Amino acid sequence: MAGAALRGGPGPLPLLLLCAAAGSLVGAQVTSETTQVPENSAVDIYCTAYKPSMSSPRIEWKFQKGTSLVLLYYGNELTEPYKNRVQFSSTKIHFSTVTREDTGKYICEVVEGSSQISKSEVNLIVQVPPSKPVAHVPTSATIGSKAVLRCTETDGSPPPTFRWYRDTMLMPSDPKTSLTFRNSSYTLDSTTGELTFEPVSSFDTGDYYCEASNNVGSPQKSDVVHMEANEVNVGGIVAAVVVLLMVLALIAFGIWFAYSRGFFSSEFRAAHPSLGLAPLCAGAAFPAPP
């Protein structure tokens, strides 16, 4: 819990109380479980740390999501915004309805006496079907280079796994196991949705789409994107080099012409006498001006 922000309580906790609580957590008995429920349904989250035999225990509930830690029940009362959503009893808290924002860890701490503490945790997963994923596919990839295709989806809970299709055919995780894909060299991460070609080959040209599934609702497919695997454009590279050399030659000629016409100061001409020579370009000399 170090570094987590406490919010939702009736006021700042005294430093002494925080230190005492931190010390008492050492060696605490902790139980943990996971509960999954559909979105917009009711759920009971039980505090197994509480025992009926306990004498006047102090019960606190906290909600943890990422690095954020929120006080849910403290000082014998529910905090905002849970007052109108949650019912409390010694053994559990009851949500009349849950949303995807309620996914997280619910921590029940029970203190008996001055030092005895028990703790139970429930990881609540609010089930949400995946939405339509987005396939990030380059329209053109150079043969022999690396190409990364990504599939993203942000609504599914639990997070979905991903599959890729090329020309409507399911791509196996290992291309060498398939006669259709054995000439391709790729790796497929079903958790992140990344499909990496390294290197790209001519066989990788095709129509690609991905599918997101988390066993809640129906799998969802992305739009189809065409990727074309092309050879390196050698002719274009040569043409670009020729144009660049011509531009450099024109610049050199312009400098020489300006020098020979006396557009530079005498000090500059004395410091750079070689500029008066006719520049050479591709073995040919520019004629000296009259």
Side-chain angles (χ1 to χ4, degrees):
M1 295 191 304
L6 286 173
R7 302 194 302 273
L13 293 176
L15 181 60
L16 182 60
L17 176 60
L18 282 175
C19 294
S24 63
L25 281 173
V26 178
Q29 297 179 353
V30 181
T31 61
S32 181
E33 60 181 280
T34 299
T35 299
Q36 298 194 38
V37 295
E39 190 175 29
N40 300 320
S41 64
V43 64
D44 290 326
I45 302 177
Y46 289 91
C47 178
T48 58
Y50 172 79
K51 307 299 180 185
S53 59
M54 291 178 170
S55 176
S56 302
R58 185 179 80 248
I59 301 176
E60 295 179 5
W61 279 93
K62 300 179 179 73
F63 172 60
Q64 184 175 358
K65 193 179 186 75
T67 59
S68 174
L69 188 65
V70 179
L71 284 167
L72 191 154
Y73 181 83
Y74 172 75
N76 296 324
E77 66 177 0
L78 292 163
T79 64
E80 294 290 353
Y82 296 99
K83 285 185 177 181
N84 299 322
R85 298 186 57 220
V86 176
Q87 296 174 348
F88 168 83
S89 69
S90 299
T91 58
K92 66 181 180 181
I93 53 175
H94 171 79
F95 282 85
S96 56
T97 180
V98 289
T99 69
R100 62 195 69 189
E101 297 301 323
D102 295 316
T103 293
K105 181 185 293 184
Y106 291 82
I107 305 166
C108 178
E109 294 178 0
V110 182
V111 180
E112 185 180 20
S114 59
S115 60
Q116 273 190 318
I117 185 168
S118 298
K119 180 179 175 183
S120 61
E121 300 175 350
V122 176
N123 293 298
L124 179 66
I125 299 176
V126 179
Q127 298 172 329
V128 181
S131 57
K132 181 179 179 178
V134 177
H136 305 271
V137 179
T139 56
S140 177
T142 302
I143 294 175
S145 66
K146 176 180 178 180
V148 180
L149 284 63
R150 295 181 175 86
C151 187
T152 58
E153 192 282 331
T154 57
D155 292 326
S157 177
T161 56
F162 299 94
R163 299 195 296 182
W164 279 93
Y165 294 80
R166 188 186 76 191
D167 299 330
T168 72
M169 296 190 65
L170 177 64
M171 302 179 68
S173 56
D174 183 358
K176 304 309 177 187
T177 62
S178 168
L179 291 175
T180 304
F181 297 95
R182 64 182 179 181
N183 292 320
S184 295
S185 296
Y186 66 78
T187 57
L188 198 162
D189 191 324
S190 61
T191 302
T192 63
E194 284 195 357
L195 173 62
T196 305
F197 292 93
E198 194 171 14
V200 174
S201 70
S202 60
F203 299 98
D204 299 323
T205 292
D207 295 327
Y208 289 85
Y209 67 89
C210 61
E211 180 183 75
S213 173
N214 66 352
N215 296 322
V216 183
S218 302
Q220 297 294 312
K221 293 180 173 62
S222 71
D223 291 332
V224 177
V225 183
H226 182 76
M227 184 177 78
E228 189 74 27
N230 299 310
E231 295 282 358
V232 176
N233 189 357
V234 177
I237 296 175
V238 172
V241 171
V242 170
V243 170
L244 177 62
L245 291 175
M246 291 178 64
V247 170
L248 292 176
L250 288 174
I251 293 174
F253 177 77
I255 294 174
W256 166 80
F257 187 81
Y259 182 94
S260 62
R261 292 295 183 178
F263 291 109
F264 292 99
S265 65
S266 57
E267 291 82 0
F268 182 87
R269 293 164 61 88
H272 303 84
S274 61
L275 291 179
L277 301 176
L280 297 180
C281 179
F286 290 112

